[in-house]
Amino acid sequence: MSKKYAIGVDYGTESGRAVLVDLSDGTEVADHVTPYPHNVIDEKLPISGIKLEYDWALQHPQDYLDVLTRSVPAVVQASGVDPADIIGLGIDFTACTMLPVDAQGQPLCFNPELANQPHSWVKLWKHHAAQDEANLINEIAERRGEDFLPRYGGKISSEWMIAKVWQILNEAPDIYEQTDRFLEATDWVVSQMTGASDIVRNSCTAGYKAIWHKKKGFPSNEFFKTLDPRLENVTETKLRGEVVALGTKAGELTESMAKLMGLQPGIAIAVGNVDAHAAVPGVGVVTPGKLVMAMGTSICHMLLGTEEREVEGMCGVVEDGIIPGYLGYEAGQSAVGDIFAWYVEQGVPAYVQAAAEQEGTNVHEWLERHASAYKPGETGLLALDWWNGNRSVLVDTELNGLILGYSLLTKPEEVYRSLLEATAFGTRKIVDAFHNNGVEVQELYACGGLPQKNRLLMQIYADVTNREIKVADSKQTPALGAAMFGAVAAGAANGGYDSIVDAAQKMARVRKDTFKPIPENVAVYEKLYQEYSKLHDYFGRGENDVMKRLRAIREEARH
Ligand SMILES: Nc1ncnc2c1ncn2[C@@H]1O[C@H](COP(=O)(O)OP(=O)(O)O)[C@@H](O)[C@H]1O
Ligand SMILES: O=C(CO)[C@@H](O)[C@@H](O)COP(=O)(O)O
């Protein structure tokens, strides 16, 4: 039999990338990135120019289709592989990235009559404007003693499906009415490839983002009715659809999409998946004790366990949510690379930019090099990494960033280093929350853009967590994982695999070089972490709500 291949498509925050993978050993034969033409829409709507409120983050669904019709043919062409040997395709996506669609499965924002309504567009995972709804969901769930709350670390996030759906109902009841279904973007894109009239939902986003449970289903109608009588039947109406397990074949590629994507019609299309979750088999992790960090604009922390434990502020624990047969745990930090990007774009003096340009390097690399000259603790700075709120363990999008310890002598590279360290302390909080609550974390695995870009960052993470970090060999780990799920959807009989464990064992690799904790650094960072924890609790657990008061004053000033 000739060699067989699968394609994985990874939908990130700013771009989508396709990778064509050799199924015999996981070699990434070709990859191609399509930046989203509309990127993150957070100021004004396309075409109408209507201004968006603070904390909004939308996307254009056409950008997702563009990735399929640009990046997929590009990898096929670059690889020289015969399309007849490409047997499956899987995708992974940011989540909860959701959209309202009509009865034909078309996004409401494609309708020219609705395109000027912000609520008809895709709400990106980092759309944080449904916090009021999330607060009420949590209050009511707690009052009613809903048993789902502990599975989500005690709090449902404003980033997730139910809060976003409720915000639409509250602020644009006409859009809510005209919505046939609310879909995760990952399920919508899959339906566009399979043409399935009966759209399927994947168990991963249903479980982590829409409070669905393998045995118990969604929360009761009674619960939704208490939230708002208009939501009583939402799970049977606008959230309806069969929920199917990861690795399942959602359907086959249609003739029309095959033509646009340069593939053969009829190949297996796997049900959608989440970027961070796909990355776990992508680095070869299929057993407990190994925390996978998908490190990019944000970090998602993924871990397998054998028992359901309650862990403060985790995003969720879902049976079979990552790898069948295990409980999949997720936690995360809402901004990591985004914080460094903010500093590089908004905080760096002109002389740094000029120096970087003169040396033919970028500003991140310049700052990393200069920050590396400092020893842990030497900057005298300490920061809280809440530039985009706190996802775990506090689950509060209304918290903000903080840097302490400035003096007239503070240098830009010292600030940069303090930001790298702050994100490492945030990760340590998550590692400790799992480990101290019975979900062991022995070693760390890193993938995503950051481990390839910043060695100082990775060494700081090893030192702060006092754990060895293995780095994925793949440059596109979530896409590799998605391709594995595509191969599983195709099945061994067609040259793919029968299980994700088989696929991961054959196709995933980590680099030889690892980041090991340096004992002197560990000791200093332990002291700094204790200080970080004090600040964390003081500003994050209600002792001083100054961050929330500042937000309220800002809102008043804006209106
Ligand atoms: N040298 C660097 N050091 C640290 N962060 C960097 C560096 N270069 C880029 N970044 C950050 O990496 C992030 C993008 O990560 P990447 O994994 O490529 O994207 P995504 O999260 O969208 O998948 C951006 O937030 C950017 O600020
Ligand atoms: O929240 C999740 C997964 O649950 C992510 O999709 C979200 O943090 C976005 O990830 P990226 O930073 O784009 O890699």
Side-chain angles (χ1 to χ4, degrees):
M1 193 158 61
S2 58
K3 268 195 175 190
K4 297 296 174 203
Y5 301 84
I7 292 179
V9 184
D10 167 42
Y11 285 94
T13 299
E14 291 166 7
S15 61
R17 52 217 101 168
V19 179
L20 189 142
V21 183
D22 180 338
L23 294 183
S24 64
D25 59 3
T27 303
E28 289 159 41
V29 185
D31 62 50
H32 184 271
V33 180
T34 300
Y36 301 144
H38 300 85
N39 203 344
V40 178
I41 304 168
D42 53 11
E43 289 180 9
K44 52 185 190 247
L45 286 186
I47 313 161
S48 65
I50 283 172
K51 223 171 146 257
L52 297 175
E53 301 264 331
Y54 197 74
D55 274 348
W56 277 61
L58 307 180
Q59 285 198 314
H60 197 319
Q62 183 58 44
D63 293 352
Y64 306 147
L65 300 180
D66 288 354
V67 175
L68 295 180
T69 56
R70 289 182 194 163
S71 287
V72 174
V75 291
V76 177
Q77 203 180 24
S79 67
V81 164
D82 179 351
D85 291 323
I86 302 171
I87 59 164
L89 183 146
I91 71 169
D92 67 80
F93 232 102
T94 64
C96 164
T97 295
M98 55 81 78
L99 72 162
V101 302
D102 65 19
Q104 283 69 48
Q106 286 308 296
L108 294 196
C109 63
F110 282 179
N111 177 345
E113 284 172 19
L114 303 178
N116 60 358
Q117 297 217 37
H119 281 294
S120 71
W121 293 78
V122 175
K123 285 189 171 55
L124 182 61
W125 64 275
K126 65 178 174 179
H127 173 90
H128 281 165
Q131 189 59 48
D132 290 347
E133 284 79 6
N135 293 344
L136 271 173
I137 292 170
N138 290 321
E139 212 180 289
I140 293 169
E142 210 171 303
R143 203 171 60 226
R144 288 173 50 90
E146 293 288 345
D147 68 352
F148 62 76
L149 266 190
R151 294 204 311 271
Y152 298 95
K155 276 190 192 163
I156 300 301
S157 162
S158 71
E159 288 182 4
W160 300 347
M161 185 63 99
I162 307 301
K164 283 172 169 162
V165 167
W166 198 8
Q167 190 201 1
I168 296 174
L169 174 61
N170 282 335
E171 296 176 13
D174 53 324
I175 292 290
Y176 183 86
E177 269 315 304
Q178 292 186 62
T179 300
D180 183 57
R181 292 191 220 204
F182 293 105
L183 294 178
E184 279 282 347
T186 194
D187 292 330
W188 179 73
V189 170
V190 166
S191 76
Q192 295 305 290
M193 286 187 279
T194 59
S197 45
D198 198 15
I199 298 169
V200 289
R201 295 179 187 271
N202 74 87
S203 59
C204 181
T205 51
Y208 286 100
K209 312 295 176 182
I211 328 185
W212 176 86
H213 186 272
K214 192 177 162 188
K215 297 188 185 88
K216 301 175 187 163
F218 289 106
S220 65
N221 288 7
E222 221 17 66
F223 168 71
F224 281 102
K225 190 175 164 192
T226 319
L227 293 184
D228 187 319
R230 298 169 297 173
L231 285 175
E232 181 175 1
N233 299 315
V234 69
T235 61
E236 291 144 22
T237 54
K238 297 175 197 286
L239 291 175
R240 73 184 188 283
E242 193 190 352
V243 180
V244 297
L246 293 179
T248 308
K249 181 166 129 181
E252 294 177 355
L253 189 63
T254 61
E255 290 267 356
S256 55
M257 282 305 283
K259 213 174 266 165
L260 292 170
M261 293 165 67
L263 297 174
Q264 294 221 329
I267 66 165
I269 306 295
V271 296
N273 200 344
V274 180
D275 45 11
H277 301 62
V280 176
V283 290
V285 168
V286 290
T287 51
K290 300 162 179 172
L291 182 103
V292 177
M293 302 184 290
M295 305 178 74
T297 51
S298 63
I299 297 186
C300 291
H301 304 76
M302 316 297 302
L303 187 61
L304 301 174
T306 48
E307 281 167 54
E308 197 170 297
R309 301 278 184 169
E310 289 182 23
V311 178
E312 186 199 14
M314 67 177 169
C315 303
V317 51
V318 175
E319 191 179 336
D320 305 336
I322 304 172
I323 301 290
Y326 290 106
L327 290 143
Y329 288 86
E330 178 186 358
Q333 288 166 271
S334 312
V336 175
D338 260 358
I339 304 181
F340 314 145
W342 166 82
Y343 184 61
V344 163
E345 285 158 22
Q346 309 292 339
V348 168
Y351 82 84
V352 171
Q353 281 167 358
E357 207 169 274
Q358 206 176 13
E359 291 167 29
T361 175
N362 75 37
V363 175
H364 282 288
E365 284 163 9
W366 191 95
L367 288 167
E368 181 197 352
R369 187 154 51 79
H370 287 79
S372 299
Y374 289 78
K375 289 199 293 240
E378 201 184 339
T379 66
L381 298 175
L382 183 61
L384 286 174
D385 51 316
W386 301 341
W387 263 247
N388 195 14
N390 177 291
R391 193 187 281 178
S392 299
V393 295
L394 299 170
V395 199
D396 191 340
T397 57
E398 292 180 343
L399 295 172
N400 289 107
L402 177 96
I403 304 179
L404 190 75
Y406 277 123
S407 81
L408 291 174
L409 297 176
T410 302
K411 291 266 190 285
E413 55 269 33
E414 293 179 277
V415 178
Y416 191 74
R417 183 169 179 125
S418 77
L419 296 176
L420 304 185
E421 290 169 344
T423 66
F425 294 140
T427 281
R428 165 85 185 265
K429 275 265 161 256
I430 290 168
V431 170
D432 285 2
F434 280 124
H435 197 73
N436 299 338
N437 284 291
V439 196
E440 267 185 34
V441 182
Q442 301 303 351
E443 47 183 8
L444 305 182
Y445 283 67
C447 62
L450 295 186
Q452 301 164 40
K453 291 173 181 149
N454 196 316
R455 290 188 66 82
L456 173 64
L457 178 79
M458 299 314 296
Q459 186 57 50
I460 291 173
Y461 273 57
D463 293 338
V464 167
T465 60
N466 196 16
R467 282 170 174 83
E468 183 174 4
I469 306 180
K470 296 185 173 155
V471 178
D473 196 30
S474 165
K475 287 207 171 88
Q476 314 280 2
T477 318
L480 172 61
M484 290 179 186
F485 280 106
V488 175
N494 295 309
Y497 291 97
D498 278 340
S499 80
I500 192 66
V501 174
D502 292 348
Q505 278 162 354
K506 283 271 168 43
M507 294 168 66
R509 267 182 308 277
V510 288
R511 291 190 204 157
K512 270 210 191 85
D513 274 356
T514 63
F515 291 90
K516 294 189 186 62
I518 300 168
E520 311 84 270
N521 294 357
V522 172
V524 181
Y525 278 132
E526 186 55 41
K527 281 196 246 167
L528 285 172
Y529 178 65
Q530 297 311 324
E531 298 301 334
Y532 171 91
S533 290
K534 281 183 206 151
L535 281 186
H536 175 277
D537 290 355
Y538 181 66
F539 287 109
R541 293 195 194 274
E543 209 173 320
N544 187 338
D545 274 336
V546 57
M547 291 178 185
K548 289 176 198 252
R549 292 194 294 277
L550 289 177
R551 279 178 90 89
I553 294 168
R554 184 191 64 203
E555 286 318 301
E556 258 176 57
R558 285 197 169 158
H559 286 107

